[in-house]
Amino acid sequence: MSHASTGVQERPTPTPPAPAGSLSSRALPRLAPVGFAVVSLALGIGIGMAAGWHSRVQWGLLSALLFLTISYVVTSVVENQRQARDRLATSLVWVCFLLAVVPLASLLWTTISRGSERLDLYFLTHSMAGVLGSEASGGVYHALIGTLEQVGIATVISAPLGLLTAVYLVEYGKGPLAKAVTFFVDVMTGIPSIVAGLFILSIMLIAGLEPSGLMGALALTILMIPVVVRSTEEMLKLVPNELREASLALGIPKWRTILKVVLPTAIGGIATGVMLAIARIAGETAPIILLVFGSQLINPNPFEGAQSSLPFYIYEQYKIGEAASYDRAWAAALVLIAFVMILNLVARGIARWKAPKTGR
């Protein structure tokens, strides 16, 4: 039996408005943070100029505070408190990122702009032999040779020692000896470079040795070993234990498991750690001043006679105080940055080449 229609149409139930804290509330456009940044920057510059502030750092800090404030207030009004707190945290991360990047970018830009004026092929292939500080000639060849030899010797000594120490701590180290090694590695990480130089200097005085590039390399070795140990140790800890257990289950000795499984798996991180250690010692000046003495001549023999290095050359040219010496110092600083950058690119290439191949 069908029911007769009453002729009354039922009205749809109205949908209640979304509560303030729901996910269906209003949302700002995706480019809203960009707009907040532009408005904050304009306000920061305007207020800074009106207040008579001449420092761009003050303008930037004020703009950062305004950006955080505007982001939080506008998001609270348009969306809700939960989204406002989330946007405030995101904005704070971006502000901290910019505060860290801007000084580095400024330093790099200043070095490139000032150093490129003097950097040329003549500068890289000539030394300072017979050149006065006020003259515009002269180059960095003798310092570049010294840096390559000293850093190379330190790396040849430090990389195997640091790698083997890290392997011992991760794979074999247990008990008081491992704790003592870990403690001394941590202490050596914070040793000032001048202390390492004084230590080698005392050995030189006791043994009656002459200043040479080797003495400076030994001081750099002291500074490099703990960095290599700590970085390699952390990389080895990231290797899954399942890989070790699978290798040992096949009857492979532990030393061969470390050599064929553990180290190839962590080779990328190990190479990066070694490059970080090289970058740590490449710019040291104090040990070179104490142990190498510096030289204006080209000395390709690191085992005899005074040498120079790029950090010492920069310090030496800045100390002269002439316009030409300042230009040479900036150009040498650019060469040092390029040297470290090239080493990092080579390390990444080696790490990718030696990394274990993974299936799709």
Side-chain angles (χ1 to χ4, degrees):
M1 179 182 293
S2 62
H3 297 279
S5 174
T6 59
V8 179
Q9 296 182 351
E10 296 183 357
R11 300 178 61 183
T13 304
T15 304
S22 68
L23 297 176
S24 59
S25 58
R26 294 178 298 174
L28 289 169
R30 294 181 58 184
L31 297 179
V34 178
F36 297 157
V38 173
V39 173
S40 302
L41 187 61
L43 289 175
I45 295 175
I47 295 174
M49 294 179 64
W53 296 347
H54 301 288
S55 175
R56 296 181 180 179
V57 176
Q58 294 176 324
W59 298 355
L61 293 177
L62 180 59
S63 300
L65 293 176
L66 290 174
F67 175 69
L68 295 175
T69 304
I70 293 174
S71 299
Y72 181 78
V73 172
V74 174
T75 307
S76 299
V77 173
V78 176
E79 297 182 356
N80 51 63
Q81 287 292 327
R82 185 178 67 83
Q83 294 292 342
R85 288 191 293 268
D86 177 77
R87 191 176 295 276
L88 177 62
T90 305
S91 302
L92 185 61
V93 170
W94 277 104
V95 169
C96 293
F97 168 75
L98 291 177
L99 289 177
V101 169
V102 168
L104 296 177
S106 176
L107 174 62
L108 185 61
W109 171 254
T110 303
T111 305
I112 293 175
S113 60
R114 294 290 299 273
S116 59
E117 298 177 358
R118 184 66 180 82
L119 182 60
D120 51 20
L121 185 60
Y122 175 87
F123 183 76
L124 295 175
T125 56
H126 288 75
S127 68
M128 292 296 295
V131 179
L132 298 178
S134 58
E135 296 180 2
S137 58
V140 76
Y141 181 73
H142 62 298
L144 183 59
I145 292 297
T147 293
L148 291 174
E149 292 180 347
Q150 295 158 24
V151 172
I153 293 173
T155 304
V156 169
I157 299 174
S158 302
L161 290 178
L163 177 61
L164 294 176
T165 303
V167 169
Y168 166 76
L169 292 176
V170 175
E171 303 294 337
Y172 298 97
K174 294 180 181 179
L177 180 59
K179 294 181 180 179
V181 172
T182 302
F183 172 77
F184 282 110
V185 168
D186 293 337
V187 171
M188 289 177 62
T189 304
I191 289 180
S193 60
I194 188 67
V195 175
L198 289 173
F199 174 71
I200 300 299
L201 180 62
S202 63
I203 296 178
M204 287 175 54
L205 296 176
I206 293 174
L209 301 175
E210 296 294 330
S212 64
L214 177 62
M215 297 296 104
L218 293 178
L220 297 180
T221 300
I222 297 176
L223 301 174
M224 185 175 177
I225 286 178
V227 180
V228 175
V229 173
R230 296 304 298 170
S231 59
T232 304
E233 184 180 2
E234 295 302 322
M235 291 301 104
L236 293 179
K237 288 180 179 179
L238 293 178
V239 178
N241 286 327
E242 289 78 5
L243 296 178
R244 298 181 177 89
E245 295 171 356
S247 178
L248 295 175
L250 296 175
I252 300 175
K254 187 171 184 177
W255 69 268
R256 193 170 181 84
T257 299
I258 297 173
L259 189 62
K260 296 295 185 179
V261 177
V262 178
L263 291 180
T265 304
I267 188 62
I270 294 173
T272 303
V274 173
M275 290 303 106
L276 289 176
I278 293 177
R280 162 78 168 83
I281 66 172
E284 292 293 344
T285 309
I288 306 303
I289 295 175
L290 290 175
L291 306 171
V292 183
F293 278 21
S295 175
Q296 305 291 335
L297 305 177
I298 300 174
N299 180 15
N301 184 7
F303 303 100
E304 183 179 1
Q307 269 191 329
S308 185
S309 68
L310 288 173
F312 183 83
Y313 180 87
I314 296 170
Y315 163 76
E316 186 180 44
Q317 295 301 315
Y318 178 80
K319 187 175 63 174
I320 294 175
E322 298 288 343
S325 65
Y326 287 153
D327 293 339
R328 286 192 292 266
W330 281 109
L334 182 58
V335 172
L336 182 59
I337 292 177
F339 171 70
V340 175
M341 186 178 298
I342 291 173
L343 286 178
N344 278 275
L345 293 176
V346 171
R348 291 180 180 273
I350 294 175
R352 178 170 297 185
W353 175 43
K354 292 294 185 180
K357 301 299 184 294
T358 56
R360 295 184 178 179

